[in-house]
Amino acid sequence: LLAGIAIWIYRTNRRLQREVEARQQAEQQLRHLSETDALTGLANRRAFDQQLHKEFQRFLRYRHPFSIVMVDIDWFKRINDTYGHQAGDDVIRTVASTLQSIIRKVDALARWGGEEFVVLLPGIGLKDAHTVAEKKKKKVASVVHFDKEVITVSIGVSSFTTQDTL
C-alpha cells in the first residue's frame, strides 16, 4: 500500500512539474511576443519604452549622458507603391539587420513603427551621437540596395538634459 502511494505521489509530482514547465515556457513565449516586432525580430516600441525609462532613471540618478537616434527610411512609400508591400518588408528587414550589426551591445535598437527605427545610446552625449548617426547613415547606404537602387535613411539625434522629460 505504501509503495502504491509513493508511486502515485511520484507520478503526480512529475505531472505537476511538467505542467509548471509548460506554463513557464508559455509565459516566456508570450513575453517575447509582446516585446518583439514580428517583421524584424527587433524590440518593439513597448520594449523600447521600458529600456528608455530605465536609462532615464539612471540619467536622473547618476547624470550619465544618453542619446536617442531616430532613423527613417527615405522615400519608403514609393518603394511600397512601386514594388509592393513584400518588397517594402524586405527593405525594412534589411535596414533592421544592418542597424543591428553596427550597434554596441549596450545600445537598444527597436522598430518604432512603419519604416522608423530608434536607437538608445547609453553613455553618449550629443556630439558623439551625431558621429554615431552619420556612421549608421553611411552604412545603410553602402549595404542596403533594392532593384539597383540605393536605400537611404534620414536620421535625427537628441540627447537628454536635466530639463527634459520622457
Side-chain angles (χ1 to χ4, degrees), residues 21-34:
E21 289 168 2
R23 287 182 181 161
Q24 288 172 338
Q25 187 177 21
E27 183 180 313
Q28 187 177 21
Q29 288 173 335
L30 285 172
R31 187 176 303 111
H32 176 75
L33 289 172
S34 74

Side-chain angles (χ1 to χ4, degrees), residues 78-96:
R78 184 173 51 95
I79 294 167
N80 265 349
D81 291 348
T82 304
Y83 302 104
H85 289 279
Q86 182 59 49
D89 288 352
D90 291 343
V91 168
I92 288 172
R93 279 192 291 269
T94 305
V95 170

Side-chain angles (χ1 to χ4, degrees), residues 3 44 56 61 68-69 71 84 98 116 146 164:
N44 62 19
F56 188 66
R61 182 168 184 167
I68 294 178
V69 175
V71 179
T98 301
E116 301 164 335
F146 184 80
D164 290 326

Side-chain angles (χ1 to χ4, degrees), residues 149-162:
E149 198 174 329
V150 174
I151 303 299
T152 60
V153 294
S154 295
I155 295 182
V157 178
S158 181
S159 291
F160 274 75
T161 68
T162 54

